[in-house]
Amino acid sequence: MQRFKSWDEIEETIEGGPTEAERTLIQRLRRAEDLVSNPGGPERPYITWSDVIAGKSDDRHIRATVLKTILLNFRFDPSDLQTLRIESCFISGPLDLSHQAELPSFHANNCVFECGFKATSARWTQDLQLTHCHIPYLHASGAELGGQLNADDSSFGFTKEPDTVEPDQTEPFTLNLQDAKIRDGALLRKTYFSGTVMMGNLKVGGELNFQYASFCGAAAHAQCNVSKSANDSSAHIALNLTDATIGKTFYFADITDCAGNVKLTNLSATTFCDCGTKLAASDRHRNTPKLDLDGFTYSRVQGATDAKTRLIWLEQGENPTPAEREFFPQPYKQLAKVLDDMGHEADAKTVRISLAQKLARNSRNERIWFAGTELAFLKALLPLPIIWVWHMALHFLTDFGYRPMKSFYWLVLLWGLAAIPAHFAWEEGSFAPNSAVALQSDSWAKYEADDNLSPHPNPAKDWSLTSTIGRDWESFNRYAYAADLVVPIIDLGQTEAWAPSTTRGPWGWHLWWARWVFTLAGWIVTALGAAALTGVIRRE
């Protein structure tokens, strides 16, 4: 395009002559005035798409070709402003700044663009601000901004106003910043997107802010992609930030509407802020949005840090059934690491336990708990039902190794349960000395005679209290006997001195068989507790 040497030359070459708004803009640029501040003039009213349709914007009409000419010839005079500002204007025709270099800072406030804004591979020296604007689409893939991108409170894509002619929508997206580089932040607060927002491989030096934004990507895809079912949520992407890099905070909080999926695959940010809010679609969109968080890395969480809220957030990235897609543990591990680094150790442990539960339930990872441990040889030997029992034991007894104290509580419970039948079996007289010498002694024969009636209904108890050998025998204690049964690492001598009988009463019969169960359960609980303490079954 021709480079002009003066504002008069630009004004003279405009086909058909400049419009009122174009002439005003050039005059202000000639005087190096800031159009937005409008010193001494009346406040400019807001412009809407309805005003454009009704022909009420003629005095604020700027053609895209004229605007492009001004932008490309803006800095030939050092006395000129370094920022081109327009406000409450209607931009007609397509604005194409693709592959242009050294573009000046451009601020548009409360403007309506009739057609799309293309700036692929363009290079801006400073800022690009499109606040309170309505733009069918912005195609700026590969663009470079030396400053900030600000599109707060703007509308990209189909107009939100009813009963009006729709503006140009020739692209399958409303905002395309793929492979773009922005030195400072990108502000997109309270911004409305009626189609897909594409930001793959975006590089932002500052923050990326989507607070109070509205994503209606599914609505646009339903009209543009008829090969997909309108109810197939997997076909609709509202926001794609795959492989993007954010130098500071990624704000994705208080999203008012999200009708499509959000891909944060391999996204990298210093801080992530979502205030713990759960993505949800509005009443007019049936599809529930889903977050793709695999590979998303960040150093801090800003907002809710409790495990309950964070787990609800993570669950948004999972499919309803495991068969739809492989389960990815990375988002859970990333969150647990960040919470741990921030000092929320208890919440981090809860997240790790939740991950362990999901891995155990996942049909494709049923044997994952044996991999990388001393029990790896069991992976090929045990059938699936036994592995399921193994997972249940890990869960209930140690929370998959993250809470070894649970095994101690279970051991105490087993001890208390074992003490109950031991007490009643002793009281009904179903115990006998567990020694051939004692059983063959005259003192025991006296109390154990077949015709023995009152005052000796409990031979073991009376023998231990009154006979010479019994007084020197190991005294029975129901709690010590229960501990001998349940805890394998201690020996209090109770099970060696006393044994229940199956013929003297029901409690003795039940205890005879139950002691094997208590002993086996005690071994399992103790072994898993020890393994949890040593980290054998815990996988970070």
Side-chain angles (χ1 to χ4, degrees):
M1 177 174 288
Q2 178 185 0
R3 292 285 179 172
F4 298 94
K5 298 180 180 180
S6 68
W7 294 116
D8 292 333
E9 187 177 351
I10 293 176
E11 190 171 2
E12 292 172 358
T13 57
I14 296 177
E15 184 178 355
T19 65
E20 180 179 346
E22 292 168 354
R23 184 177 293 105
T24 303
L25 175 60
I26 293 175
Q27 290 175 354
R28 290 185 178 276
L29 290 172
R30 184 185 288 115
R31 297 193 301 267
E33 289 185 2
D34 190 333
L35 181 61
V36 174
S37 62
N38 196 18
E43 181 179 354
R44 298 182 67 85
Y46 273 83
I47 187 173
T48 64
W49 183 252
S50 299
D51 294 335
V52 174
I53 299 300
K56 299 179 180 179
S57 61
D58 294 343
D59 60 333
R60 290 176 279 175
H61 177 204
I62 297 178
R63 286 165 291 183
T65 54
V66 175
L67 187 60
K68 178 179 180 179
T69 300
I70 294 175
L71 284 168
L72 295 181
N73 296 272
F74 186 64
R75 295 193 301 168
F76 62 84
D77 189 335
S79 65
D80 293 331
L81 295 174
Q82 298 304 304
T83 300
L84 174 63
R85 303 176 188 267
I86 60 174
E87 182 176 10
S88 300
C89 293
F90 168 57
I91 313 300
S92 65
L95 179 59
D96 191 349
L97 299 175
S98 299
H99 308 287
Q100 299 296 333
E102 302 300 324
L103 291 169
S105 180
F106 177 45
H107 292 191
N109 182 56
N110 183 36
C111 292
V112 173
F113 289 74
E114 180 186 26
C115 301
F117 184 178
K118 293 184 179 181
T120 56
S121 301
R123 288 190 299 170
W124 305 82
T125 57
Q126 296 182 29
D127 299 340
L128 173 60
Q129 298 193 17
L130 304 169
T131 56
H132 302 276
C133 292
H134 178 82
I135 307 174
Y137 64 86
L138 172 59
H139 191 339
S141 61
E144 296 184 17
L145 272 71
Q148 179 187 79
L149 172 65
N150 188 343
D152 285 346
D153 206 16
S154 291
S155 175
F156 288 87
F158 297 102
T159 180
K160 295 185 291 184
E161 302 174 34
D163 302 326
T164 62
V165 177
E166 301 290 356
D168 177 45
Q169 181 67 37
T170 59
E171 298 288 349
F173 54 83
T174 51
L175 178 60
N176 188 343
L177 290 174
Q178 293 189 118
D179 301 308
K181 297 180 180 179
I182 303 175
R183 191 191 66 180
D184 297 333
L187 305 180
L188 299 156
R189 297 167 294 192
K190 298 182 180 180
T191 306
Y192 175 88
F193 302 97
S194 68
T196 300
V197 178
M198 302 171 66
M199 293 185 170
N201 202 33
L202 171 68
K203 302 293 189 297
V204 181
E207 67 180 53
L208 176 60
N209 198 326
F210 280 107
Q211 283 184 291
Y212 300 101
S214 178
F215 297 88
C216 301
H221 277 288
Q223 299 180 47
C224 298
N225 192 354
V226 295
S227 63
K228 296 290 186 179
S229 171
N231 294 324
D232 182 10
S233 61
S234 63
H236 308 318
I237 298 178
L239 173 63
N240 189 346
L241 273 165
T242 302
D243 297 321
T245 302
I246 302 171
K248 294 183 179 179
T249 304
F250 173 39
Y251 291 93
F252 200 64
D254 304 303
I255 304 301
T256 58
D257 184 13
C258 189
N261 299 334
V262 176
K263 292 180 65 65
L264 306 182
T265 308
N266 297 329
L267 170 64
S268 174
T270 302
T271 304
F272 175 62
C273 175
D274 69 342
C275 299
T277 55
K278 182 178 180 181
L279 284 181
S282 64
D283 295 337
R284 67 179 183 274
H285 298 127
R286 296 180 180 179
N287 296 323
T288 300
K290 184 177 65 178
L291 282 170
D292 191 342
L293 300 170
D294 185 39
F296 179 26
T297 57
Y298 45 94
S299 301
R300 292 186 61 83
V301 173
Q302 185 175 333
T305 55
D306 61 286
K308 181 179 179 181
T309 302
R310 287 291 120 197
L311 287 174
I312 293 175
W313 171 66
L314 287 176
E315 288 173 357
Q316 296 178 85
E318 300 176 13
N319 286 298
T321 59
E324 293 185 17
R325 191 190 66 171
E326 181 182 359
F327 172 74
F328 295 108
Q330 186 274 339
Y332 286 82
K333 292 185 177 182
Q334 174 67 30
L335 176 61
K337 177 182 181 299
V338 171
L339 292 178
D340 204 16
D341 292 342
M342 293 176 64
H344 304 284
E345 291 86 357
D347 294 300
K349 184 180 293 185
T350 301
V351 173
R352 291 190 176 103
I353 293 172
S354 178
L355 170 60
Q357 293 172 347
K358 291 180 181 298
L359 287 174
R361 287 197 300 264
N362 190 272
S363 60
R364 300 181 182 178
N365 297 278
E366 283 292 342
R367 306 185 181 201
I368 196 170
W369 287 106
F370 298 111
T373 71
E374 287 76 359
L375 304 174
F377 69 95
L378 295 175
K379 179 178 179 181
L381 301 179
L382 297 182
L384 194 58
I386 297 180
I387 295 177
W388 181 84
V389 174
W390 166 256
H391 287 161
M392 293 301 101
L394 288 176
H395 173 44
F396 287 108
L397 299 181
T398 65
D399 271 338
F400 296 94
Y402 291 103
R403 289 175 179 157
M405 280 300 295
K406 285 187 67 176
S407 62
F408 173 75
Y409 301 143
W410 279 101
L411 203 62
V412 172
L413 177 61
L414 284 174
W415 170 70
L417 292 175
I420 295 175
H423 167 76
F424 287 105
W426 174 262
E427 292 298 325
E428 74 174 5
S430 293
F431 269 97
N434 191 17
S435 171
V437 175
L439 291 174
Q440 295 173 5
S441 65
D442 294 336
S443 59
W444 175 254
K446 174 183 177 181
Y447 289 97
E448 181 61 6
D450 292 339
D451 58 351
N452 185 25
L453 300 174
S454 182
H456 304 299
N458 190 337
K461 183 177 182 180
D462 294 339
W463 176 76
S464 65
L465 293 176
T466 59
S467 68
T468 302
I469 298 179
R471 286 195 299 269
D472 294 332
W473 196 253
E474 177 74 27
S475 299
F476 179 82
N477 184 285
R478 59 188 61 83
Y479 302 110
Y481 183 85
D484 262 354
L485 281 181
V486 171
V487 186
I489 60 176
I490 64 174
D491 184 7
L492 302 178
Q494 290 290 301
T495 54
E496 293 182 359
W498 301 97
S501 172
T502 60
T503 60
R504 292 188 177 91
W507 281 106
W509 185 88
H510 285 95
L511 181 59
W512 171 265
W513 296 106
R515 62 186 181 140
W516 304 105
V517 177
F518 283 121
T519 300
L520 178 60
W523 268 105
I524 293 174
V525 173
T526 304
L528 289 180
L533 284 172
T534 56
V536 172
I537 58 177
R538 183 174 66 248
R539 301 179 72 242
E540 297 294 346

